[in-house]
Amino acid sequence: MRFVLPLLATAIAAGANAAPTPITLDQAMANPDWIGNPVESAWWGWDSRQVYFKQKRTGSAVRDTYQATGGVKLVEEKQLANLDSADVVYNRERTRAIVLRNGDLFERDLKTGALTQIVRGTSPASDAQYAADGNHVQFRVGADWFSWSRAERLVSPVALLRTAKDPEAAPDADFRRDMQLRLMSTLARIKQEKDETRDQRNADRAADATRAPLPIYFGDKVTIETSSLSPDGRYLLVVTAVKDGDKRRVGKMPRYVTESGYEETDDERKRVSEVGPLQHQLKLVDVATRKVTELSLDDLPGIKTDPLAEMRAAQKLDALKGNRGVRFEGREESIRWSANGARVAVMAQAIDNKDRWIAGVDLAAAKLKPLHRLSDAAWVNNRGNDFGWQPDNSTLWYESEESGYSHLYLQGPDGKARAITSGKWEESSVTWSSDGQTAYFMCNPKLPGTYEVCSTNTKDGALKELTSLGGVESFSLSPDGRKLLVRYSTAYMPTQIGTVASSGGAITQLTDTRTAEFKAREWIQPEIVAVPSTHGADPVWAKLYRPATLEAGKKYPVVMFVHGAGYLQNVTKRYPVYFREQMFHNLLVQKGYIVLDMDYRASLGYGRNWRTAIYRQMGHPELEDYVDGLNWMVAKHQGDAANVGIYGGSYGGFMTFMALLRAPDQFKSGAALRPVTDWTTYNHEYTANILNTPELDPQAYKVSSPIEYADKLKGHILIAHGMIDDNVFYQDSVRMAQRFIELKKDNWELASYPLERHGFVHPEAWYDEYRRIYQLFERTLKQ
């Protein structure tokens, strides 16, 4: 693999001024190895001087590890055992670090570089943290928690969690048993001797520090979802759910092209429904006594008020009884202890998606203490909800969208909160300096699609942009806190890495993994434009692909691209997820089209109002934005209003259907790739946020599902779907096909791909799909 380090600004300027290199469909859809594989995960070495990264090997699925300091070189296999990893936890002084690698734990001395292995096992370790005394490392294997002593080089169990009945627990009350013990003195004596023996055995075990603790039993009617041990080792917080409580039906996905030669089936994910997902319970465990106390949610503000009560009544569903259900999603996402173990904060999210709470726990009283509530009449964002404790062990930091944009807040022990970032932009991916005085984060204050690393301080909240790259994707702070390792990209440069001083400045490029063939090409640089909205929205940001000079008097057929994933942002200065589509847009321009790719309402990066505009009406505000984009292309760029096509995958496929079925006079043809056609078939976690549930809000599903508008088809549509898609099921496209058959609709086709899931991986399928899209546009938009 060759690594060349060009001057980035010079390369971009040259590409902007040169004539585009023609691209063929076969080349655009080929295995992307020809482009040069991007840098994947990247991390610092323990000494803050070495940088390592992983990259896919050309012609293989294998990932290699490289060192990228003082030139790029492959790390040999014999060197791997002494490497750190991207998964590192530092102690308070940043003199030591826990390294998690391949499921095993190590500790690195950051002064000498000495690496000590803590565990080597067949079951992976996880959730490693430093104990409050700094001399022990705590971690989990399966459901059990352990502690490693640096001085003794000994691993000891701390808490062994069991979802079973306690074999030594007193039996349930029973009048026959009581009668037997009262009447039969021998039985009573046998029971007394057994109880005394058990009590003595347990007392001896508790007094003997060399022995493992007794298991902690939670009964056989629950599952343990996650758990978190306090750094002082005194308490555990455990999240449980009812065992086998999710009664939603699991479908079967057939696979027709198999190695065995026989049809085979896989289980499918569950669908959106009022009966799922399961609510969680939060339990506090005193590790020494093994006492388990369920924490009441009663004190969470609004927990008993049903925000969907009117809908529930309208559908004649049972009214809410007691508290609303909540979930605690993941240890890292939902439970944060202070470094000394004295305080803990938990994040609970309402299953109805209208609230999320941060609460402290009074450990002595086993009681929740509300700290912050975020409510939304639509749905609370499941991004930008990070939180934790400052080094003083009493100040809470958290992210919140309460201002309309995701920002960073501090809350002192007195409960008073203050924002340390603000404005019509969003922060994300917070990393704190070791002293807790400086926060580093991703930011987009200049333009929604321009991302840099920023910092602010806790004293005055002054914002500072530390990079000037435009396309930063992620970053990590060096162990000594002096540098940032930055992953970044540009429109035609896949993700690369470089380093920047943590105080800001010019980047030192470490990689350029593009092939000579790809770098030699000149591309159409997408112009980021603001399309005016006629519906009161902010300008709708978009990428425009067109010839540098338009022919006077010529009208150009218009193709509009719709990105997928719903809450995703594609109008950025980064290398797009849709890099093949970007090359396809180059091909379309060279064939006489103009192309517009829009960040419609509900796209990421634009704040709360933009995000929730689609609540209970998916496909409606977005279509308004695309019609505005179409009219703008006609008015400003010689677009031909009579010849407009649209295409996209996943959510983009859904929107292609909505455009052709709800605005059939504006859109002449389209390609719906792996589309959602009926939101009742999609998953709960995404769909219920936006449309509630089908039982509760059937009207929202009706107005938002393309299958309800199938009778409106006038134009030409291509449906393309992988038959083993485990995200948007192939059934979505098959059901729409059946509707078109029953409605006797013409000018539609269904292309099926037996070996593709949601994201295509085989170049042959990519080529076939985009050949069909290209031929559709050529056939329908050039008349």
Side-chain angles (χ1 to χ4, degrees), residues 21-77:
T21 306
I23 183 75
T24 65
L25 189 62
D26 193 49
Q27 182 80 78
M29 301 300 146
N31 187 313
D33 282 0
W34 79 274
I35 297 170
N37 292 308
V39 170
E40 295 180 354
S41 60
W43 63 95
W44 286 102
W46 66 270
D47 60 0
S48 298
R49 292 193 294 269
Q50 305 301 321
V51 170
Y52 301 93
F53 69 91
K54 285 190 177 291
Q55 184 191 24
K56 177 187 171 300
R57 186 183 299 175
T58 300
S60 169
V62 172
R63 267 60 182 174
D64 291 311
T65 301
Y66 290 89
Q67 180 179 321
T69 313
V72 174
K73 61 182 178 180
L74 181 68
V75 176
E76 297 178 6
E77 290 185 1

Short mmCIF file of all heavy atoms in Angstrom, two decimals, residues 21-77:
data_model
loop_
_atom_site.label_atom_id
_atom_site.label_comp_id
_atom_site.label_asym_id
_atom_site.label_seq_id
_atom_site.Cartn_x
_atom_site.Cartn_y
_atom_site.Cartn_z
N THR A 21 -12.95 14.36 -15.30
CA THR A 21 -12.58 13.16 -16.03
C THR A 21 -13.82 12.31 -16.23
O THR A 21 -14.54 12.04 -15.28
CB THR A 21 -11.54 12.35 -15.23
OG1 THR A 21 -10.45 13.20 -14.90
CG2 THR A 21 -11.05 11.16 -16.03
N PRO A 22 -14.09 11.87 -17.45
CA PRO A 22 -15.28 11.03 -17.66
C PRO A 22 -15.23 9.76 -16.80
O PRO A 22 -14.17 9.19 -16.58
CB PRO A 22 -15.21 10.69 -19.15
CG PRO A 22 -14.40 11.79 -19.75
CD PRO A 22 -13.39 12.15 -18.71
N ILE A 23 -16.38 9.35 -16.31
CA ILE A 23 -16.50 8.15 -15.50
C ILE A 23 -17.50 7.22 -16.17
O ILE A 23 -18.51 7.67 -16.71
CB ILE A 23 -16.94 8.48 -14.06
CG1 ILE A 23 -16.99 7.24 -13.17
CG2 ILE A 23 -18.28 9.20 -14.04
CD1 ILE A 23 -15.66 6.72 -12.77
N THR A 24 -17.21 5.93 -16.15
CA THR A 24 -18.16 4.96 -16.67
C THR A 24 -18.96 4.36 -15.52
O THR A 24 -18.52 4.37 -14.36
CB THR A 24 -17.45 3.82 -17.42
OG1 THR A 24 -16.64 3.09 -16.48
CG2 THR A 24 -16.58 4.38 -18.54
N LEU A 25 -20.10 3.80 -15.83
CA LEU A 25 -20.93 3.18 -14.80
C LEU A 25 -20.22 1.98 -14.20
O LEU A 25 -20.26 1.77 -12.97
CB LEU A 25 -22.27 2.76 -15.42
CG LEU A 25 -23.33 2.29 -14.43
CD1 LEU A 25 -23.70 3.39 -13.47
CD2 LEU A 25 -24.58 1.81 -15.19
N ASP A 26 -19.54 1.23 -15.03
CA ASP A 26 -18.82 0.05 -14.54
C ASP A 26 -17.73 0.46 -13.55
O ASP A 26 -17.55 -0.18 -12.51
CB ASP A 26 -18.21 -0.70 -15.72
CG ASP A 26 -17.72 -2.08 -15.33
OD1 ASP A 26 -18.48 -2.82 -14.68
OD2 ASP A 26 -16.57 -2.42 -15.64
N GLN A 27 -17.03 1.55 -13.83
CA GLN A 27 -15.98 2.01 -12.92
C GLN A 27 -16.56 2.55 -11.62
O GLN A 27 -16.07 2.28 -10.53
CB GLN A 27 -15.16 3.11 -13.60
CG GLN A 27 -14.00 3.62 -12.76
CD GLN A 27 -12.79 2.72 -12.82
OE1 GLN A 27 -12.04 2.74 -13.77
NE2 GLN A 27 -12.59 1.93 -11.77
N ALA A 28 -17.64 3.31 -11.73
CA ALA A 28 -18.25 3.91 -10.55
C ALA A 28 -18.77 2.86 -9.58
O ALA A 28 -18.75 3.07 -8.35
CB ALA A 28 -19.38 4.85 -10.96
N MET A 29 -19.27 1.75 -10.09
CA MET A 29 -19.87 0.71 -9.25
C MET A 29 -18.92 -0.43 -8.94
O MET A 29 -19.31 -1.43 -8.33
CB MET A 29 -21.14 0.17 -9.91
CG MET A 29 -22.19 1.24 -10.16
SD MET A 29 -22.72 2.03 -8.60
CE MET A 29 -23.03 3.71 -9.17
N ALA A 30 -17.66 -0.31 -9.36
CA ALA A 30 -16.68 -1.37 -9.13
C ALA A 30 -16.33 -1.46 -7.64
O ALA A 30 -16.68 -0.58 -6.83
CB ALA A 30 -15.42 -1.08 -9.94
N ASN A 31 -15.64 -2.52 -7.28
CA ASN A 31 -15.15 -2.65 -5.90
C ASN A 31 -14.37 -1.39 -5.54
O ASN A 31 -13.45 -0.98 -6.26
CB ASN A 31 -14.24 -3.87 -5.82
CG ASN A 31 -13.81 -4.17 -4.40
OD1 ASN A 31 -13.39 -3.28 -3.65
ND2 ASN A 31 -13.89 -5.43 -4.01
N PRO A 32 -14.72 -0.73 -4.42
CA PRO A 32 -14.08 0.56 -4.11
C PRO A 32 -12.60 0.47 -3.77
O PRO A 32 -11.98 1.51 -3.51
CB PRO A 32 -14.91 1.08 -2.93
CG PRO A 32 -15.57 -0.12 -2.35
CD PRO A 32 -15.80 -1.06 -3.48
N ASP A 33 -12.02 -0.71 -3.79
CA ASP A 33 -10.57 -0.80 -3.61
C ASP A 33 -9.83 0.07 -4.61
O ASP A 33 -8.72 0.54 -4.33
CB ASP A 33 -10.10 -2.26 -3.77
CG ASP A 33 -10.38 -3.11 -2.54
OD1 ASP A 33 -10.94 -2.58 -1.56
OD2 ASP A 33 -10.06 -4.31 -2.56
N TRP A 34 -10.42 0.29 -5.79
CA TRP A 34 -9.71 1.08 -6.81
C TRP A 34 -9.55 2.54 -6.39
O TRP A 34 -8.67 3.24 -6.90
CB TRP A 34 -10.44 0.98 -8.16
CG TRP A 34 -11.65 1.86 -8.31
CD1 TRP A 34 -12.92 1.58 -7.92
CD2 TRP A 34 -11.71 3.16 -8.92
NE1 TRP A 34 -13.78 2.61 -8.24
CE2 TRP A 34 -13.05 3.59 -8.86
CE3 TRP A 34 -10.76 4.00 -9.50
CZ2 TRP A 34 -13.47 4.82 -9.36
CZ3 TRP A 34 -11.18 5.22 -9.99
CH2 TRP A 34 -12.51 5.62 -9.93
N ILE A 35 -10.39 2.97 -5.43
CA ILE A 35 -10.30 4.35 -4.93
C ILE A 35 -9.15 4.49 -3.94
O ILE A 35 -8.44 5.49 -3.91
CB ILE A 35 -11.63 4.75 -4.27
CG1 ILE A 35 -12.76 4.74 -5.30
CG2 ILE A 35 -11.53 6.12 -3.58
CD1 ILE A 35 -14.15 4.88 -4.70
N GLY A 36 -8.96 3.43 -3.16
CA GLY A 36 -8.03 3.48 -2.03
C GLY A 36 -8.84 3.45 -0.76
O GLY A 36 -9.67 4.33 -0.53
N ASN A 37 -8.63 2.45 0.08
CA ASN A 37 -9.49 2.26 1.24
C ASN A 37 -9.20 3.28 2.33
O ASN A 37 -8.05 3.63 2.59
CB ASN A 37 -9.32 0.84 1.78
CG ASN A 37 -9.88 -0.18 0.81
OD1 ASN A 37 -11.01 -0.08 0.38
ND2 ASN A 37 -9.05 -1.15 0.43
N PRO A 38 -10.27 3.77 2.98
CA PRO A 38 -10.09 4.84 3.97
C PRO A 38 -9.43 4.33 5.25
O PRO A 38 -9.38 3.12 5.51
CB PRO A 38 -11.53 5.29 4.26
CG PRO A 38 -12.35 4.06 3.99
CD PRO A 38 -11.67 3.38 2.83
N VAL A 39 -8.95 5.25 6.04
CA VAL A 39 -8.52 4.93 7.40
C VAL A 39 -9.77 4.61 8.22
O VAL A 39 -10.75 5.37 8.19
CB VAL A 39 -7.76 6.11 8.03
CG1 VAL A 39 -7.52 5.88 9.51
CG2 VAL A 39 -6.45 6.33 7.29
N GLU A 40 -9.75 3.50 8.89
CA GLU A 40 -10.91 3.14 9.73
C GLU A 40 -10.63 3.62 11.16
O GLU A 40 -10.47 4.80 11.38
CB GLU A 40 -11.17 1.64 9.61
CG GLU A 40 -11.60 1.27 8.17
CD GLU A 40 -11.89 -0.21 7.96
OE1 GLU A 40 -11.66 -1.01 8.90
OE2 GLU A 40 -12.37 -0.56 6.87
N SER A 41 -10.58 2.75 12.13
CA SER A 41 -10.29 3.20 13.49
C SER A 41 -8.84 3.67 13.59
O SER A 41 -7.95 3.12 12.94
CB SER A 41 -10.56 2.09 14.50
OG SER A 41 -9.76 0.96 14.21
N ALA A 42 -8.61 4.69 14.41
CA ALA A 42 -7.27 5.23 14.61
C ALA A 42 -7.11 5.57 16.09
O ALA A 42 -8.07 5.98 16.74
CB ALA A 42 -7.04 6.47 13.75
N TRP A 43 -5.88 5.42 16.62
CA TRP A 43 -5.70 5.65 18.05
C TRP A 43 -4.26 6.04 18.35
O TRP A 43 -3.35 5.81 17.56
CB TRP A 43 -6.10 4.41 18.86
CG TRP A 43 -5.27 3.18 18.61
CD1 TRP A 43 -4.19 2.76 19.32
CD2 TRP A 43 -5.47 2.21 17.56
NE1 TRP A 43 -3.70 1.58 18.79
CE2 TRP A 43 -4.47 1.22 17.73
CE3 TRP A 43 -6.38 2.08 16.52
CZ2 TRP A 43 -4.36 0.12 16.87
CZ3 TRP A 43 -6.27 0.98 15.67
CH2 TRP A 43 -5.29 0.03 15.85
N TRP A 44 -4.11 6.64 19.51
CA TRP A 44 -2.80 7.07 19.99
C TRP A 44 -2.05 5.90 20.63
O TRP A 44 -2.65 5.04 21.28
CB TRP A 44 -2.95 8.16 21.05
CG TRP A 44 -3.33 9.50 20.53
CD1 TRP A 44 -4.56 10.08 20.58
CD2 TRP A 44 -2.46 10.46 19.91
NE1 TRP A 44 -4.52 11.33 20.01
CE2 TRP A 44 -3.25 11.59 19.59
CE3 TRP A 44 -1.10 10.47 19.58
CZ2 TRP A 44 -2.72 12.72 18.98
CZ3 TRP A 44 -0.57 11.59 18.96
CH2 TRP A 44 -1.38 12.70 18.66
N GLY A 45 -0.74 5.90 20.48
CA GLY A 45 0.10 5.05 21.30
C GLY A 45 0.25 5.65 22.69
O GLY A 45 -0.07 6.83 22.93
N TRP A 46 0.72 4.85 23.62
CA TRP A 46 0.77 5.27 25.02
C TRP A 46 1.64 6.50 25.25
O TRP A 46 1.40 7.27 26.18
CB TRP A 46 1.30 4.12 25.88
CG TRP A 46 2.74 3.76 25.59
CD1 TRP A 46 3.20 2.86 24.68
CD2 TRP A 46 3.91 4.31 26.23
NE1 TRP A 46 4.57 2.81 24.68
CE2 TRP A 46 5.03 3.69 25.63
CE3 TRP A 46 4.12 5.26 27.24
CZ2 TRP A 46 6.34 3.98 26.01
CZ3 TRP A 46 5.41 5.56 27.62
CH2 TRP A 46 6.50 4.93 27.01
N ASP A 47 2.65 6.73 24.38
CA ASP A 47 3.60 7.82 24.61
C ASP A 47 3.16 9.14 23.98
O ASP A 47 3.91 10.11 24.00
CB ASP A 47 4.99 7.43 24.09
CG ASP A 47 4.98 7.12 22.58
OD1 ASP A 47 3.90 7.22 21.95
OD2 ASP A 47 6.05 6.79 22.05
N SER A 48 1.97 9.17 23.39
CA SER A 48 1.43 10.37 22.73
C SER A 48 2.24 10.79 21.50
O SER A 48 2.07 11.89 21.00
CB SER A 48 1.35 11.56 23.72
OG SER A 48 0.48 11.27 24.77
N ARG A 49 3.12 9.90 21.05
CA ARG A 49 3.90 10.20 19.85
C ARG A 49 3.51 9.29 18.68
O ARG A 49 3.48 9.72 17.54
CB ARG A 49 5.41 10.07 20.14
CG ARG A 49 5.94 11.13 21.09
CD ARG A 49 7.47 11.16 21.09
NE ARG A 49 8.05 9.94 21.62
CZ ARG A 49 8.35 9.73 22.90
NH1 ARG A 49 8.11 10.69 23.79
NH2 ARG A 49 8.89 8.61 23.29
N GLN A 50 3.24 8.03 19.00
CA GLN A 50 2.89 7.08 17.95
C GLN A 50 1.38 7.13 17.68
O GLN A 50 0.58 7.35 18.58
CB GLN A 50 3.28 5.66 18.36
CG GLN A 50 4.74 5.50 18.73
CD GLN A 50 5.67 5.89 17.60
OE1 GLN A 50 5.39 5.59 16.44
NE2 GLN A 50 6.77 6.56 17.93
N VAL A 51 1.04 6.92 16.41
CA VAL A 51 -0.36 6.83 15.99
C VAL A 51 -0.52 5.55 15.19
O VAL A 51 0.33 5.21 14.36
CB VAL A 51 -0.77 8.05 15.13
CG1 VAL A 51 -2.13 7.84 14.49
CG2 VAL A 51 -0.78 9.32 15.97
N TYR A 52 -1.62 4.85 15.46
CA TYR A 52 -1.91 3.60 14.76
C TYR A 52 -3.29 3.68 14.12
O TYR A 52 -4.16 4.44 14.57
CB TYR A 52 -1.86 2.43 15.74
CG TYR A 52 -0.52 2.27 16.42
CD1 TYR A 52 -0.28 2.88 17.66
CD2 TYR A 52 0.49 1.53 15.84
CE1 TYR A 52 0.95 2.75 18.29
CE2 TYR A 52 1.73 1.39 16.46
CZ TYR A 52 1.96 2.01 17.68
OH TYR A 52 3.17 1.88 18.29
N PHE A 53 -3.48 2.90 13.08
CA PHE A 53 -4.81 2.85 12.46
C PHE A 53 -5.01 1.52 11.76
O PHE A 53 -4.06 0.78 11.50
CB PHE A 53 -5.00 4.01 11.48
CG PHE A 53 -4.17 3.95 10.22
CD1 PHE A 53 -4.66 3.31 9.07
CD2 PHE A 53 -2.92 4.52 10.18
CE1 PHE A 53 -3.89 3.26 7.91
CE2 PHE A 53 -2.15 4.48 9.02
CZ PHE A 53 -2.64 3.84 7.89
N LYS A 54 -6.27 1.23 11.46
CA LYS A 54 -6.62 0.03 10.71
C LYS A 54 -7.13 0.42 9.33
O LYS A 54 -7.77 1.46 9.16
CB LYS A 54 -7.67 -0.80 11.45
CG LYS A 54 -7.12 -1.56 12.65
CD LYS A 54 -8.12 -2.54 13.19
CE LYS A 54 -7.51 -3.34 14.34
NZ LYS A 54 -6.45 -4.26 13.88
N GLN A 55 -6.84 -0.46 8.37
CA GLN A 55 -7.27 -0.23 6.99
C GLN A 55 -7.55 -1.58 6.34
O GLN A 55 -6.83 -2.56 6.56
CB GLN A 55 -6.19 0.52 6.20
CG GLN A 55 -6.63 0.87 4.78
CD GLN A 55 -5.47 1.36 3.94
OE1 GLN A 55 -4.32 1.05 4.21
NE2 GLN A 55 -5.76 2.14 2.92
N LYS A 56 -8.62 -1.60 5.54
CA LYS A 56 -8.94 -2.80 4.79
C LYS A 56 -7.85 -3.10 3.77
O LYS A 56 -7.35 -2.21 3.10
CB LYS A 56 -10.28 -2.63 4.07
CG LYS A 56 -10.70 -3.81 3.20
CD LYS A 56 -11.93 -3.48 2.41
CE LYS A 56 -12.23 -4.55 1.36
NZ LYS A 56 -11.15 -4.73 0.37
N ARG A 57 -7.50 -4.38 3.67
CA ARG A 57 -6.49 -4.81 2.71
C ARG A 57 -7.10 -4.88 1.31
O ARG A 57 -8.23 -5.37 1.14
CB ARG A 57 -5.94 -6.17 3.11
CG ARG A 57 -4.78 -6.68 2.28
CD ARG A 57 -4.37 -8.08 2.72
NE ARG A 57 -3.94 -8.10 4.12
CZ ARG A 57 -3.62 -9.23 4.76
NH1 ARG A 57 -3.69 -10.40 4.13
NH2 ARG A 57 -3.25 -9.19 6.03
N THR A 58 -6.39 -4.40 0.31
CA THR A 58 -6.88 -4.44 -1.07
C THR A 58 -7.13 -5.88 -1.50
O THR A 58 -6.28 -6.75 -1.29
CB THR A 58 -5.87 -3.78 -2.02
OG1 THR A 58 -5.68 -2.42 -1.62
CG2 THR A 58 -6.36 -3.83 -3.46
N GLY A 59 -8.33 -6.11 -2.06
CA GLY A 59 -8.67 -7.44 -2.54
C GLY A 59 -9.01 -8.43 -1.46
O GLY A 59 -9.06 -9.64 -1.71
N SER A 60 -9.27 -7.95 -0.24
CA SER A 60 -9.54 -8.85 0.88
C SER A 60 -10.42 -8.14 1.89
O SER A 60 -10.48 -6.91 1.93
CB SER A 60 -8.22 -9.28 1.54
OG SER A 60 -8.45 -9.94 2.76
N ALA A 61 -11.09 -8.92 2.75
CA ALA A 61 -11.86 -8.34 3.85
C ALA A 61 -11.02 -8.16 5.10
O ALA A 61 -11.50 -7.61 6.10
CB ALA A 61 -13.07 -9.23 4.15
N VAL A 62 -9.76 -8.61 5.07
CA VAL A 62 -8.86 -8.52 6.23
C VAL A 62 -8.48 -7.06 6.48
O VAL A 62 -8.26 -6.28 5.54
CB VAL A 62 -7.61 -9.37 5.99
CG1 VAL A 62 -6.57 -9.15 7.08
CG2 VAL A 62 -8.00 -10.84 5.89
N ARG A 63 -8.40 -6.70 7.77
CA ARG A 63 -7.94 -5.36 8.17
C ARG A 63 -6.52 -5.47 8.70
O ARG A 63 -6.23 -6.31 9.56
CB ARG A 63 -8.83 -4.78 9.27
CG ARG A 63 -9.97 -3.90 8.78
CD ARG A 63 -10.94 -4.58 7.87
NE ARG A 63 -11.97 -3.65 7.40
CZ ARG A 63 -12.87 -3.95 6.50
NH1 ARG A 63 -12.88 -5.15 5.94
NH2 ARG A 63 -13.78 -3.06 6.13
N ASP A 64 -5.65 -4.60 8.22
CA ASP A 64 -4.28 -4.54 8.70
C ASP A 64 -4.11 -3.35 9.64
O ASP A 64 -4.84 -2.36 9.57
CB ASP A 64 -3.31 -4.39 7.53
CG ASP A 64 -3.25 -5.64 6.66
OD1 ASP A 64 -3.10 -6.74 7.22
OD2 ASP A 64 -3.38 -5.51 5.43
N THR A 65 -3.09 -3.45 10.50
CA THR A 65 -2.76 -2.36 11.41
C THR A 65 -1.49 -1.67 10.94
O THR A 65 -0.50 -2.33 10.60
CB THR A 65 -2.55 -2.89 12.84
OG1 THR A 65 -3.75 -3.55 13.28
CG2 THR A 65 -2.24 -1.75 13.80
N TYR A 66 -1.52 -0.33 10.93
CA TYR A 66 -0.39 0.47 10.48
C TYR A 66 0.03 1.45 11.58
O TYR A 66 -0.79 1.88 12.40
CB TYR A 66 -0.74 1.28 9.23
CG TYR A 66 -0.93 0.43 7.99
CD1 TYR A 66 -2.19 -0.09 7.67
CD2 TYR A 66 0.13 0.18 7.13
CE1 TYR A 66 -2.37 -0.85 6.53
CE2 TYR A 66 -0.04 -0.58 5.98
CZ TYR A 66 -1.30 -1.10 5.70
OH TYR A 66 -1.47 -1.86 4.57
N GLN A 67 1.31 1.78 11.56
CA GLN A 67 1.83 2.87 12.37
C GLN A 67 2.02 4.07 11.44
O GLN A 67 2.51 3.93 10.33
CB GLN A 67 3.17 2.48 12.99
CG GLN A 67 3.78 3.57 13.86
CD GLN A 67 5.09 3.10 14.48
OE1 GLN A 67 5.22 1.95 14.88
NE2 GLN A 67 6.06 4.00 14.53
N ALA A 68 1.59 5.25 11.92
CA ALA A 68 1.56 6.41 11.01
C ALA A 68 2.32 7.59 11.57
O ALA A 68 1.90 8.73 11.43
CB ALA A 68 0.11 6.81 10.74
N THR A 69 3.44 7.34 12.18
CA THR A 69 4.27 8.43 12.68
C THR A 69 5.66 8.31 12.09
O THR A 69 6.28 7.24 12.17
CB THR A 69 4.36 8.39 14.22
OG1 THR A 69 3.05 8.20 14.75
CG2 THR A 69 4.93 9.69 14.76
N GLY A 70 6.14 9.40 11.47
CA GLY A 70 7.44 9.33 10.80
C GLY A 70 7.37 8.45 9.57
O GLY A 70 8.31 7.72 9.26
N GLY A 71 6.25 8.52 8.86
CA GLY A 71 6.03 7.65 7.71
C GLY A 71 5.11 6.50 8.09
O GLY A 71 5.06 6.08 9.25
N VAL A 72 4.39 6.00 7.12
CA VAL A 72 3.42 4.93 7.37
C VAL A 72 4.07 3.58 7.13
O VAL A 72 4.73 3.36 6.10
CB VAL A 72 2.18 5.09 6.46
CG1 VAL A 72 1.25 3.91 6.61
CG2 VAL A 72 1.47 6.39 6.78
N LYS A 73 3.91 2.64 8.07
CA LYS A 73 4.45 1.30 7.89
C LYS A 73 3.53 0.28 8.54
O LYS A 73 2.86 0.56 9.54
CB LYS A 73 5.86 1.20 8.46
CG LYS A 73 5.98 1.45 9.95
CD LYS A 73 7.44 1.35 10.38
CE LYS A 73 7.59 1.64 11.87
NZ LYS A 73 8.99 1.55 12.30
N LEU A 74 3.52 -0.89 7.94
CA LEU A 74 2.69 -1.99 8.43
C LEU A 74 3.25 -2.50 9.76
O LEU A 74 4.46 -2.69 9.91
CB LEU A 74 2.68 -3.12 7.40
CG LEU A 74 1.84 -4.36 7.74
CD1 LEU A 74 0.36 -4.03 7.72
CD2 LEU A 74 2.15 -5.47 6.73
N VAL A 75 2.34 -2.71 10.73
CA VAL A 75 2.75 -3.30 12.00
C VAL A 75 2.81 -4.81 11.83
O VAL A 75 1.83 -5.44 11.43
CB VAL A 75 1.76 -2.92 13.12
CG1 VAL A 75 2.13 -3.63 14.42
CG2 VAL A 75 1.73 -1.42 13.32
N GLU A 76 3.95 -5.39 12.11
CA GLU A 76 4.13 -6.82 11.95
C GLU A 76 3.36 -7.58 13.03
O GLU A 76 3.10 -7.05 14.12
CB GLU A 76 5.61 -7.18 12.01
CG GLU A 76 6.43 -6.55 10.89
CD GLU A 76 7.90 -6.90 11.00
OE1 GLU A 76 8.25 -7.71 11.89
OE2 GLU A 76 8.70 -6.35 10.22
N GLU A 77 3.01 -8.82 12.72
CA GLU A 77 2.20 -9.61 13.64
C GLU A 77 2.87 -9.76 15.01
O GLU A 77 2.20 -9.72 16.05
CB GLU A 77 1.93 -11.00 13.04
CG GLU A 77 0.96 -10.96 11.86
CD GLU A 77 0.61 -12.35 11.37
OE1 GLU A 77 1.11 -13.34 11.96
OE2 GLU A 77 -0.14 -12.45 10.39
#
